[in-house]
Amino acid sequence: MESLILVILVIMPGVWSGDWRVTFNDQCALKGTSIVIKCKYDYPFGHFVTSVTWSKAWLVSGRHRLFPVSNLQSSPDHFVYAGNKRGDCSLKINDVHDDDSGAYYFSFVTTLNRWRSQTFLQLSVKELTAVVQPSTVTEGDDVKLTCVSGCPTPTTIVWYRDGQAVPNPVFQARREDTGRYYCAVLGQETARSAFVALNVQYAPKKVSLSISPSGDIFKGSSMTLTCSSDANPPVTQSGYSLYKDGHFIGSGQHHNISDVQPSHSGLYHCQAWNNISWRGSDLINSTQVPLDVQYRPVNVSVSMDPPPVVQGSSVNLTCSSAANPAADNYTWYRIDSPSSSSMLQVGSGQVLSLPSVNASHTGLYFCQARNRLGESNSTEVLVAMMKEEHGGMPLPILAGLGVSLFLTLVLVLIFFWKRRKQRIHAEKETMLGFKHNGRGLSSSATEDESNSVYANIHRLPSSPPPVTDITPHSQRSSHREHDAPVSSEDEVTYTAVTQKPRDPSLPRHINNSRSKAGETDDAVIYAIVAKSS
């Protein structure tokens, strides 16, 4: 029995020391983690611990007061005593938060006394701080993630982006890397930093153009063309441009057309810009979107071949129109007279053939073009029969004769014009001869008459010689003013004249000396016009 008591005394605290003592160190805890505060206590021999208590000091009315941790407003398992009643006074705090920071005291009660630590344990609560460098980057730039801990205790850090693990804290930014980042303690991910954002800017991608309403677009309806893209920073209103068939339409994300017309059909595409380039290009285009405006037949018309309708001939009437989709049904009608309101259906198809026209075919014709959107009528065309008279010539022959007569008339006019021109030319030459003759007579005294050729031109009388005027001289002049020849026509006889050229064998200075002396080698031609009385 005595030996058993000795063994118990040996293993009991205080046996060796016998001092009242509590031993602990200040602690630093990361917010969100769970920590164990290490603590040791001792007491004198002969005492048995009956209860232990951890208390926290709170400042109340300017004084610090102690409140047992078990009485603090917290979850039941927030503070857990991890020691025993034999010298271990460790305390575990789960999910540390900011309110847990402060001064803590440990006290215990024995069978003979009670004791409280003479000093307090200071608990500091810190948190992780995430740093992204730089916080705003352009796609392709380098990014570095750094986690700063306020506690000196080394911990293993892991990174997350929007809840997804980040394998490497240093990377080359992509557009997918945009998001909120935080760091945490490995194994205690609840202990994490506040969020920090990484903004990765990039040029517009996935540029698209949509047309509302979707499906078929009809003439006269309204529609909206909308541009969209994935870009950071987002593309503004002025950053969007709309093009039709390669031609600029306007700026803006939305384009409304209240009255759609066939002219709006074409290929459309958007262009987006946000001042960020991608592979050297600042302007990013969408794919082309076709717009096909559908409408019922319009501008329906009828053509006739051949235009003049001759009895017994064949005539083709062709109906044409503009429509989308194209007209697939044509119906022909005839109105027998303008005053008649009754219509007679005379055929179908785009071409109406009248193989042998007769009087029963005369009337006003029009066609009706139809597609699945509606129908429209053409204007009326008159088919009037032109009869060919017996013994008469066909119209093409008459037309040919008219052309021939016109050409003949033109040729006759040209012939008379040339004859008149020749006669005027001959008269001019005659007048020039008269002048030359006068000059020759004045200088012929010094020339050799053997080199001259004379031509005598006589005017034959065309009327009897006039009666001898016996009127006195005083009255003769007055009679001359009233007497005039009735009519006469000169008869002129033309003679061919040759001109002797200069002697080319003589030197030029001899010819020139002869010219200075009044001589010439050129034969002088004289023409004497004699008017017979």
Side-chain angles (χ1 to χ4, degrees), residues 470-530:
I470 58 175
T471 306
H473 178 73
S474 61
Q475 299 178 358
R476 193 176 299 166
S477 60
S478 63
H479 286 290
R480 286 177 182 172
E481 294 177 359
H482 302 283
D483 295 337
V486 177
S487 176
S488 65
E489 184 176 8
D490 295 341
E491 181 176 344
V492 181
T493 303
Y494 295 91
T495 302
V497 179
T498 59
Q499 183 178 5
K500 182 180 178 181
R502 291 184 180 184
D503 188 353
S505 62
L506 295 178
R508 181 180 299 176
H509 68 277
I510 296 176
N511 290 326
N512 292 337
S513 62
R514 286 184 178 180
S515 299
K516 293 178 180 178
E519 297 180 4
T520 177
D521 288 336
D522 296 337
V524 179
I525 303 170
Y526 299 96
I528 300 175
V529 181

Side-chain angles (χ1 to χ4, degrees), residues 341-465:
S341 60
S342 62
M343 297 183 301
L344 177 64
Q345 182 176 342
V346 293
S348 61
Q350 191 170 6
V351 179
L352 175 65
S353 296
L354 304 177
S356 180
V357 178
N358 54 46
S360 62
H361 294 118
T362 301
L364 295 172
Y365 288 77
F366 70 91
C367 71
Q368 185 181 81
R370 177 195 300 269
N371 64 6
R372 63 183 178 86
L373 300 179
E375 60 188 28
S376 295
N377 295 338
S378 71
T379 55
E380 297 169 348
V381 174
L382 176 63
V383 175
M385 186 176 56
M386 183 178 69
K387 293 184 179 180
E388 185 178 344
E389 304 212 357
H390 182 71
M393 292 191 217
L395 184 60
I397 297 178
L398 292 175
L401 289 176
V403 172
S404 299
L405 291 174
F406 175 77
L407 293 177
T408 302
L409 179 60
V410 170
L411 291 175
V412 169
L413 291 175
I414 293 173
F415 174 77
F416 280 106
W417 177 76
K418 287 186 175 182
R419 288 291 303 273
R420 183 175 178 273
K421 187 175 180 182
Q422 291 175 355
R423 191 173 72 178
I424 293 173
H425 182 68
E427 291 176 357
K428 288 182 179 181
E429 287 182 349
T430 302
M431 294 300 295
L432 289 174
F434 291 163
K435 293 180 181 180
H436 194 127
N437 183 29
R439 289 193 301 270
L441 288 174
S442 63
S443 61
S444 62
T446 60
E447 296 182 358
D448 187 2
E449 293 182 358
S450 61
N451 293 331
S452 301
V453 180
Y454 298 90
N456 297 327
I457 303 173
H458 301 278
R459 182 177 184 272
L460 298 178
S462 59
S463 61

